[in-house]
Structure formats: structure tokens, C-alpha cells
Amino acid sequence: MTTKTTIDPKLAQWLDANDARVRDQLFEFLRIPSVSARSEHKGDVRAAAQWLHAQCARIGMQVETLETAGHPIVLAEWRQAPKGAPTVLVYGHYDVQPAEPLELWTSPAFEPTIRDGKIFARGSVDDKGQLWLHIAALEAHLATRGTLPVNVIVLAEGEEEVGSEHLAEFVKAHRERLKCDAVVISDSTMFAPGIPSILSSLRGLAYLQVDVTGPNSDLHSGMYGGAVVNPATALARIVASFHDADGRIAIEGFHDKVRPFPDAVRAGLRELPFDEREFMEHLDVQALGGEPGYSTLERLWHRPTCEVNGMLSGYTGEGAKTVLPGQAMLKVSCRLVPDQDPKEIAKLVERHVLKHAPKGVTVKVTELHGGHAWRAELDGPLYDAASRALEAAFGRTPVITGEGGSIPVVNDFATILGAPVLLVGFGLPGENAHAPDEWISVENLEKGMRAMACLWDEISKQQM
Amino acid sequence: MTTKTTIDPKLAQWLDANDARVRDQLFEFLRIPSVSARSEHKGDVRAAAQWLHAQCARIGMQVETLETAGHPIVLAEWRQAPKGAPTVLVYGHYDVQPAEPLELWTSPAFEPTIRDGKIFARGSVDDKGQLWLHIAALEAHLATRGTLPVNVIVLAEGEEEVGSEHLAEFVKAHRERLKCDAVVISDSTMFAPGIPSILSSLRGLAYLQVDVTGPNSDLHSGMYGGAVVNPATALARIVASFHDADGRIAIEGFHDKVRPFPDAVRAGLRELPFDEREFMEHLDVQALGGEPGYSTLERLWHRPTCEVNGMLSGYTGEGAKTVLPGQAMLKVSCRLVPDQDPKEIAKLVERHVLKHAPKGVTVKVTELHGGHAWRAELDGPLYDAASRALEAAFGRTPVITGEGGSIPVVNDFATILGAPVLLVGFGLPGENAHAPDEWISVENLEKGMRAMACLWDEISKQQM
């Protein structure tokens, strides 16, 4: 018999009483244009770090702002939990995407504005709002009880939008200090409004460039066509060989290390309110495609892919130019699932490409980028606690979602710290994270605080 | 028993005596920068027409400079041949390609300079030098005999390098006046030094653009990859379907109207001093390709092709961008042989493309450009005459060559005037017709004049 979890009324009461003030403070945070990609905003990025530093100190944490070769990292700690209590690391980022094109914003990007229950501002959902709700949840505990049931480390970086270039190095260098029992990250979206979500998988990546060289220059297609191997045709035939006629990836050895996803995951996906017609309408396509035997969500989240990202050869301007191209270039990337290894997959793709290259052209394969897939162990106490906390705040059990893309820091934390990672986000589809009119729902912001405040209590009850 | 043809000694003597003056006059012609593509040279193009007009008048022809919507056409006529003598139309062009990049010229583009037996100048071989050798050959007759054995029309246009836009219209409008028994064009190359050549075939063209549209914008390849039909992959698979595994064109119906080329042509090709190793070295390739069962020259001159001219999709800049492209574009053209019809072939390609397009993308096929192939009837008296005249000047019988590209005016003349066309050129491989350091061999210029002077006599002996 399970008892329905509820949030401690004292925490709830404090949050109710402080919602307006907490939101006003988030607005202060959002007004700082901490665009990490633009050197002219370097001072603003630092100002955002200082603001966050001051807030963490205000609620009663020990705070340090630590320099990196790029933007600084704010590290706030509270380590006075009862002996034996677990330690939780909360990761977030205080930098934001550039706001351009500014003319497409309904209200100014750095002047938060509420419309239709949404806070519009650059960084509202990605990730200042989601980072701030954690600080508010921590404050609720410290303000009402003077203590927290778990030790907490808040690590906020200022380079997430430019590739988290110095984060892994930082985590490695501070491995001992950052040692923890769980990592909690709120930088993702819920499946749909009202449906709390735990993001349980990310796909990895093996990104390659293929350069096919034929004759030493572009030739006249009349004078040479028919007898010289055309690099564009050769490349097209290579690309066509990546999949069989049914859409299965046909690269030898590609599937060898694919770990099947659990039946429970498949069952869970079936229960998600996913509307395929809506998905197609949104993309303006008449049909979907992909690997036979899998549903769309399975294809998107749990199956590996091999997708062309770019292709270039010969004359691509207006009208007709009768050129037989001297070269052809392909960008291709595979999304990976556990336990595919990015380096190994890159080698398999290279071998396949070379095997399918005809005589008369030379082919060069370059590995550009790679990363491992990640899949949560959903059976652990961390997920039980999260599930109860989310149910307490949202009134329903969370759904388990996947994500077809990659979030490299997740693997960094999991690998370097050896702790389970909980991805629990409060964004929503259509939130415009990297586009004009970015927003976070006020309701999700408030429920998110309550869920996270509850999470610390629930985690403290678990054997981590 | 055939008697070896020789050039009339009086003509030869006159040409010997006048070589230097004839060359000096060519240099005058070459100094006029008649670049038809550049509006700032409009006056120079007209000046070249006026210069040519004056020269034709000087040698004793009736000349008119006729306006078109573009650059003018110089039409010179001499119609006093004995009753029943054939009429020959000589076509050439007095406009030239742009000379840029000027810094790559060893000597100035519009200051003719002789080095190593070559006259270097823009237009030297394409086509002022080759047009001028005809005028010199006509002058040799008129100066020594006061007459010509055939009626002659010289038609020189100023828009060949910009597509001969107004020529067909002009020929149609003056069909009666231009009525002739043969058209002679010197605007091509010999197979090799010392080997006079008759160009007996040109391939036609059907040029298309294929636009594949998938989702309504570029997507994140992580978030959407695996379930959305990738337009680049779809396009690559379409391209791969154009040929079978052996390199034969696999477009249904494509070969239906292909007229086999005569065995004599195949035999002739075998005798040409074609060095496949040299051809590959020149292109920097380790192997050639193409349709099985045919030699390289057969593939280049006498078999139809389907070649990619350009291909573009997604991200093609530096590094890795994880985009699933919304669109993919292909430029593809088929070189055609008799009796393939460009419109019909375009339809077949379109049908093939649509048939091979997967669900989930929309495909649009646009016909950009087309033209018929041309093949000379080598059995006629015109070719016999040409063969003898070339042998008289070069000391050996000509070889019969083909050309993989198209010269649209050839078909225009053949179709509108209904006369056989003789393509007899005196350029050489490596002549840089459209590049810096364009040249014509002094020897070929002089032998060309003698061959053409001899040609009028030989033609007059034939029953045309």
C-alpha cells in the first residue's frame, strides 16, 4: 500500500506567500543580457554570475565564483544535513542564447513580460527560470526550517550555450568536492502541459564528413561526361547504401552493440498522448519514414539513425551550368543509443564508405564530432523520489520521455562523478528556447518549485 | 585510282607571299577587345564588326552589317560563280570571351604575341583566327583569279560567346537569302598536332533541376532524425537509381530512340592515337568509368550520359551542424545522341524521378535547357571534298572526331537551311579557348588557309 505523497504544508505555505517576490527576483535575473556567445556581453555574463552568487549567499549557502578559461562557474554549497544524508548536485546555467533577430520579439527579449500565463524573456526557460526555481525551493527549506534534509551543491555555469567548453575539465579538477549521490538538472521540457516528465534517455552522436575527389578540377560535362567517374554520383550511391530498401541502416556491424530498450519503455511510450497527425502537420509532411518495426517515438528516442546533414557538389546557382564536378562533400551523422561507441561507429561508417566508393574517385572520411548516448536506470531510488515529488506538485505521476538529441554534460556528470543523473524539466513544447519569444509557463515555474522542494524531502527518505 | 589532290600552285604562291601581311591583319582584328558579355565593350564589339565588314569589302565581297536585338551580324556575299556552281555559307564569330583573370596572361590578352610558334591572344583560336583564315582563303582566290569557283556567303555573328541568342531568329528571317548547299564552320579543334580533323558529331542535351522538399524547415537532426524522411537521402537514392550497378543508365525508355553509331565510326575511333593513360594523368584519376561495352572515346562522343552537375542540401560550411535538411536540390543533365529527343528525355527523367521519390517528400522537376544531338552524313560529296582539301594542306587524310558537348548553331543551320554542315577546325588540345593564354598555332593558321582555299576548288568539282 502506497501513501500519496504531499508537499510539507509549511514549505507550500512559504512558497505561496513568496511567489510574487520569487518571480520579481527571476525578472531581475532575466534582465541581465548574459549572452555567452557575444564578447560584447562578457560583462553581462559576469554580472549574472555575481547576481546568482549574491542570491545563493542570501538564502544561506556558502558560495564561490570560480574562474575558468572562459566564463566563471558559480558554486554554492550547503553541507549541514544530518550525518548519512545524501548529497545532491544541482546543475544549471546562467548564460543565454543571443536574442537576435530582435524585431521578431513581441516584447523586448530582456524585459520579462507576462502574457497568457507565460513569462516571455530570453533565458526564461533556458535556463535561468529552471535554475531559479531550484534556488527558490532551497530557500523555502532554509527559510522555514533553517535546514535542508540533504547536502546540496549548486553548480551553475556560464558557457552552456557555447558548448560547455570548460565544464568537464572543471568537474574533473573538482571531482572530490563535487562528489555526490545524485545530479539533478532542470533544462528540458515536459511532454505536454500538465504532464510532468522525467527525461530518461539521450542519444549519442558520431558526426563525419566525407570528401569525394574525382578529376582535379570541374570538367565540361559534355566533353568528359560518360567516361569520367562523377564524384557527385559516387557520393549519392554511397549515401543510398547507408540504408536498405526498407529504411534499415545497412552499415555492417552498426547494430552489433545496440542494447534493446526495455519493454517497460515501449509500453510507456504507447501511453504518451502523441498525435502523429499533429506531428506531420507541424512539419508539413504527408508521411513519416524510418526503420520498420518501430513507432515514431521509438525511432526518435530509442533507435539509432544515419542522417545526411549536408551535401554539396558542382554548380548550385541559378540556371544550367554543364559541369562535371571535381568534388563532392557530405556531412553525415549517426545518432547513437547504448551501448554504441561513437569512435567505433565512426570507424564502421568509414569502412562502409570506403567499401562503396567506386574506382576512379578518392574518398576521405573525417570524424568531426562524437558523444555517447545516455540512458537512466529508472529502477533507482532517485527516480522513485522524483516520481513522488512530481506527483505531489502536478497531481499525476510523471511520464518517462526520451530525447533524440544529445546533452553532453549529462554524460560528463554521469561518467566523472559516477552518480545517477535526474533530468526533470519544466519547459513545454513550443517554448522557443533558442528563438524569439522564449517563454516559461508561470504554472510550471511554480509547480516546479514545489516539486523540487518536495524532492529533497523524498530523497532524504531513500537509501541512495 | 585516285589522284592525290594538291592545292592550285597560284593560290599557294599567293598565300606564301601574303602570310606576313595576313597575320598582321589578324593581329589588328585581335587587338579589338570585342567581349560580347560585357556592356562596357559594346563599342568594341561593333568596332570588330566594322573592321570585318571593311576587310570583306576590300577583298571584293558585297557586305552588309545587319542589326539584331543584340550585337550586329556581318553578312558578306560573293555570288558570281559560274551558273550551277554550289553556294557555301561560312559561319564564324567575331566576339570573344572575357579575358579575365588578366594577371594570368603571360602577354596581354589583346596584344597578340608569337611564342613557340603560337599566336597568343584572346580570340586567336576562338574564333577570330579561324574566321580570318577563311577570309584569307577567299582573298587568295579573288586576288589571283578574280573569281571564286563557288558562291560564298560569310555570316559572322557577335554573340556566340553569349549563347547566339539572335542567330536562329536571323537565319529563319533570312532563310531564302542564306539558302546554300553547304555550311562550313571552323570553330573546333584537331584531334592532335599534325592530324587534320573533321568533327562529325555533337551530343544533345536535356538539363533538369530536381527540388526535393521534406519538412517545412531545417530540423534538429537529434530531435527529428530517424522518423522524418530526409530529403538529402531521398535525393541521393534517386540519383543512385539513374544507373544500374554496372554503370548503364537505368531510366526506363532512355535508350529506346538511340540510333547506333556506324561500325565505320567505331573502326575510325580505334585508329585515333588516343592515350588513355595520358587522359587519366591529365585528370589526375586512377581509373575511368562509364557504360560497359564501350571505349572511352565512344562513351565521350557517341553514347548518351546522365551526369550530376550540382547537388546541394543542408549545412555545407565548416565543422558539424546537426541539421536534418528541409530541402535538397539536384542539377542533372543527359547528353543525347541521335535520335533522342530532349523534351522526351526530360519527360522520362521526370517520370523516373517521381517514381523513385519516397513518400514523405515532395519532388519538383524543372526542365532548364535542351538541344538535339547532331551527326554528319559522312558519305556526302562535301566530306569527300573536305577530306581531299585537308590532305592537300596537311599531307595526310583527316580523322573523323566527335565532340561530347553541343554547338547549338550547328543544329540551327542544319535544320533551318537544310544543308549539310562541315565542322573543320584548326585549334589544338590545350589551346585555352576560354582561359588565359589562349593561342592558335601559326602552322595550323597557315595550313588552314591553304586547306580552305583548296576546299572551294574541291567543292566545285563535286555534284553537291
Side-chain angles (χ1 to χ4, degrees):
Chain A
M1 192 186 106
T2 38
T3 319
K4 202 163 177 253
T5 304
T6 51
I7 182 170
D8 171 356
K10 273 167 73 183
L11 294 175
Q13 217 171 345
W14 185 92
L15 284 164
D16 289 347
N18 286 275
D19 267 342
R21 197 255 308 156
V22 162
R23 193 163 64 221
D24 286 348
Q25 282 175 321
L26 171 59
F27 280 23
E28 280 180 30
F29 197 15
L30 292 173
R31 283 191 192 103
I32 308 170
S34 49
V35 180
S36 50
R38 299 278 159 79
S39 55
E40 66 267 32
H41 284 294
K42 205 176 166 190
D44 297 316
V45 177
R46 184 161 295 268
Q50 286 165 342
W51 186 91
L52 185 65
H53 180 125
Q55 292 298 329
C56 292
R58 180 182 61 75
I59 70 168
M61 300 184 80
Q62 294 288 323
V63 198
E64 267 189 279
T65 296
L66 293 151
E67 297 303 324
T68 72
H71 299 300
I73 284 172
V74 177
L75 194 67
E77 292 161 284
W78 192 93
R79 295 184 182 276
Q80 299 160 48
K83 194 159 181 276
T87 300
V88 176
L89 186 150
V90 175
Y91 162 85
H93 63 94
Y94 64 83
D95 65 324
V96 299
Q97 278 276 317
E100 286 79 9
L102 299 177
E103 67 278 13
L104 296 185
W105 285 80
T106 307
S107 49
F110 296 105
E111 187 43 60
T113 308
I114 298 183
R115 291 191 300 278
D116 304 327
K118 298 167 179 173
I119 300 167
F120 287 89
R122 172 55 84 230
S124 54
V125 70
D126 182 17
D127 177 47
K128 284 173 174 170
Q130 299 206 60
L131 172 56
W132 182 242
L133 68 82
H134 277 282
I135 308 297
L138 293 170
E139 186 181 3
H141 280 268
L142 293 169
T144 54
R145 305 180 188 163
T147 185
L148 273 159
V150 294
N151 297 305
V152 173
I153 307 168
V154 174
L155 189 165
E157 71 158 324
E159 302 190 290
E160 200 272 348
E161 300 295 2
V162 288
S164 299
E165 209 186 327
H166 303 99
L167 186 72
E169 188 188 317
F170 180 92
V171 175
K172 267 182 208 155
H174 298 82
R175 191 195 308 254
E176 280 311 308
R177 182 168 176 185
L178 300 176
K179 209 174 157 188
C180 59
D181 301 289
V183 176
V184 178
I185 303 178
S186 297
D187 194 15
S188 50
T189 62
M190 308 201 314
F191 188 76
I195 304 181
S197 310
I198 292 175
L199 177 50
S200 74
S201 67
L202 300 166
R203 291 195 289 194
L205 183 69
Y207 197 118
L208 301 105
Q209 179 166 327
V210 178
D211 289 284
V212 180
T213 304
N216 47 19
S217 71
D218 286 359
L219 302 174
H220 190 288
S221 69
M223 288 176 64
Y224 293 92
V228 175
V229 178
N230 187 316
T233 304
L235 181 65
R237 296 181 76 95
I238 289 170
V239 170
S241 75
F242 287 152
H243 298 83
D244 67 16
D246 295 329
R248 265 180 220 95
I249 293 171
I251 297 163
E252 209 179 327
F254 185 87
H255 294 99
D256 286 0
K257 300 217 171 154
V258 169
R259 191 194 332 153
F261 54 89
D263 286 345
V265 166
R266 173 166 272 193
L269 293 184
R270 280 209 206 91
E271 277 162 33
L272 287 179
F274 175 71
D275 185 333
E276 201 154 280
R277 177 175 301 273
E278 214 171 76
F279 184 74
M280 289 196 284
E281 269 169 22
H282 165 65
L283 299 173
D284 247 345
V285 296
Q286 299 301 312
L288 297 170
E291 195 180 10
Y294 295 93
S295 73
T296 296
L297 288 181
E298 287 165 0
R299 288 168 177 168
L300 291 174
W301 295 346
H302 298 298
R303 292 297 296 170
T305 71
C306 180
E307 295 284 356
V308 173
N309 306 109
M311 213 159 59
L312 179 65
S313 184
Y315 179 71
T316 59
E318 224 181 291
K321 194 177 170 190
T322 49
V323 69
L324 192 161
Q327 301 189 287
M329 188 277 290
L330 171 76
K331 310 244 182 200
V332 61
S333 61
C334 299
R335 294 287 164 173
L336 310 178
V337 300
D339 297 313
Q340 291 179 299
D341 178 76
K343 294 253 175 237
E344 228 171 86
I345 292 294
K347 281 281 160 235
L348 292 175
V349 174
E350 181 177 11
R351 194 163 65 185
H352 179 93
V353 166
L354 295 176
K355 189 178 149 193
H356 285 79
K359 278 181 196 164
V361 296
T362 56
V363 177
K364 194 178 124 207
V365 180
T366 312
E367 200 187 327
L368 291 184
H369 196 53
H372 281 83
W374 171 83
R375 193 182 289 168
E377 291 301 338
L378 292 173
D379 296 335
L382 176 61
Y383 295 93
D384 292 344
S387 185
R388 289 197 303 274
L390 287 166
E391 187 176 357
F394 285 84
R396 63 156 286 173
T397 50
V399 296
I400 304 301
T401 66
E403 154 70 47
S406 313
I407 309 179
V409 300
V410 172
N411 261 315
D412 290 341
F413 282 120
T415 315
I416 304 169
L417 300 181
V421 180
L422 171 68
L423 297 181
V424 55
F426 302 100
L428 280 176
E431 68 195 6
N432 299 322
H434 287 194
D437 280 352
E438 175 181 347
W439 55 268
I440 189 170
S441 132
V442 174
E443 183 188 334
N444 278 14
L445 181 71
E446 293 178 356
K447 288 190 172 163
M449 284 177 213
R450 283 152 180 81
M452 293 303 99
C454 188
L455 178 65
W456 311 135
D457 282 342
E458 292 306 312
I459 284 180
S460 72
K461 293 176 194 162
Q462 299 278 351
Q463 195 70 35
M464 293 291 286
Chain B
M1 190 185 108
T2 39
T3 318
K4 204 169 174 245
T5 305
T6 52
I7 180 170
D8 172 357
K10 275 165 73 181
L11 293 175
Q13 221 171 342
W14 186 92
L15 285 163
D16 289 347
N18 286 274
D19 267 343
R21 195 256 305 158
V22 162
R23 193 164 64 221
D24 286 349
Q25 283 176 318
L26 171 59
F27 281 24
E28 279 180 30
F29 197 14
L30 293 172
R31 283 191 192 102
I32 307 170
S34 49
V35 180
S36 50
R38 299 278 159 78
S39 56
E40 66 267 34
H41 284 295
K42 204 177 167 192
D44 297 315
V45 176
R46 185 162 292 269
Q50 286 165 343
W51 186 92
L52 185 65
H53 181 122
Q55 291 297 329
C56 292
R58 180 183 60 75
I59 68 169
M61 298 184 84
Q62 294 289 324
V63 199
E64 270 189 276
T65 296
L66 293 152
E67 298 303 323
T68 72
H71 299 300
I73 284 174
V74 177
L75 193 67
E77 292 162 282
W78 192 93
R79 295 185 183 273
Q80 300 161 46
K83 197 162 181 276
T87 300
V88 176
L89 187 149
V90 174
Y91 162 85
H93 63 94
Y94 63 82
D95 65 322
V96 300
Q97 279 276 319
E100 286 79 7
L102 298 176
E103 67 277 13
L104 296 185
W105 285 79
T106 307
S107 48
F110 295 106
E111 187 43 61
T113 308
I114 297 184
R115 291 190 302 276
D116 306 327
K118 296 167 179 173
I119 300 166
F120 287 89
R122 172 56 84 230
S124 54
V125 71
D126 183 17
D127 177 46
K128 284 174 174 171
Q130 299 206 60
L131 172 57
W132 183 242
L133 68 83
H134 277 281
I135 309 296
L138 294 170
E139 186 181 5
H141 280 267
L142 293 168
T144 54
R145 304 180 188 163
T147 187
L148 273 160
V150 294
N151 297 304
V152 173
I153 306 166
V154 173
L155 190 166
E157 70 157 324
E159 302 191 289
E160 200 273 348
E161 300 296 1
V162 288
S164 298
E165 208 186 326
H166 303 99
L167 186 70
E169 188 188 320
F170 181 91
V171 175
K172 267 183 207 154
H174 299 82
R175 190 196 307 254
E176 280 311 307
R177 183 171 176 181
L178 301 176
K179 210 176 158 184
C180 60
D181 301 290
V183 176
V184 178
I185 303 178
S186 296
D187 195 16
S188 51
T189 61
M190 307 200 317
F191 189 76
I195 302 181
S197 310
I198 292 174
L199 176 50
S200 73
S201 66
L202 300 165
R203 291 194 289 195
L205 182 69
Y207 198 119
L208 301 104
Q209 177 165 328
V210 178
D211 289 284
V212 180
T213 304
N216 47 18
S217 71
D218 284 0
L219 303 174
H220 189 289
S221 69
M223 288 175 64
Y224 292 92
V228 175
V229 178
N230 187 315
T233 304
L235 181 65
R237 296 182 77 94
I238 289 170
V239 170
S241 75
F242 286 152
H243 298 85
D244 68 17
D246 295 328
R248 262 180 224 95
I249 293 171
I251 297 162
E252 209 178 329
F254 185 86
H255 294 97
D256 286 359
K257 299 217 172 153
V258 170
R259 192 195 332 155
F261 53 91
D263 286 345
V265 167
R266 173 165 273 193
L269 293 183
R270 280 210 204 92
E271 277 162 35
L272 286 179
F274 176 70
D275 185 335
E276 200 154 283
R277 178 175 299 275
E278 214 171 75
F279 184 75
M280 288 196 287
E281 270 169 20
H282 165 65
L283 299 174
D284 248 346
V285 297
Q286 300 300 312
L288 296 170
E291 195 181 8
Y294 294 94
S295 72
T296 296
L297 288 182
E298 287 165 0
R299 288 167 176 168
L300 290 173
W301 296 345
H302 299 297
R303 292 297 297 171
T305 72
C306 180
E307 295 285 357
V308 173
N309 305 109
M311 211 159 61
L312 179 65
S313 183
Y315 179 71
T316 59
E318 225 180 293
K321 192 175 169 188
T322 48
V323 70
L324 192 161
Q327 299 189 288
M329 188 279 291
L330 171 75
K331 308 242 184 203
V332 62
S333 61
C334 298
R335 293 288 164 174
L336 310 179
V337 299
D339 298 311
Q340 291 179 300
D341 178 76
K343 294 255 172 229
E344 227 172 87
I345 293 294
K347 280 283 159 232
L348 291 175
V349 174
E350 180 176 12
R351 195 163 66 186
H352 179 93
V353 166
L354 295 176
K355 188 179 149 190
H356 284 80
K359 277 180 197 167
V361 295
T362 55
V363 177
K364 193 180 124 206
V365 180
T366 312
E367 200 187 328
L368 290 184
H369 196 53
H372 282 84
W374 172 81
R375 194 182 288 169
E377 292 300 338
L378 291 172
D379 296 333
L382 176 62
Y383 296 94
D384 292 344
S387 184
R388 290 196 304 273
L390 287 166
E391 185 176 359
F394 285 85
R396 61 157 288 174
T397 51
V399 297
I400 303 301
T401 64
E403 153 71 47
S406 314
I407 310 179
V409 299
V410 173
N411 262 315
D412 290 340
F413 283 120
T415 315
I416 304 169
L417 301 181
V421 180
L422 170 69
L423 297 180
V424 56
F426 303 99
L428 280 175
E431 68 194 8
N432 299 322
H434 287 192
D437 279 353
E438 175 182 347
W439 57 269
I440 189 170
S441 135
V442 174
E443 185 189 333
N444 278 16
L445 180 69
E446 294 177 356
K447 287 189 174 163
M449 281 174 214
R450 282 151 181 81
M452 293 303 99
C454 189
L455 178 64
W456 311 135
D457 282 341
E458 293 306 314
I459 284 181
S460 73
K461 293 176 195 162
Q462 300 277 352
Q463 194 71 38
M464 294 288 288

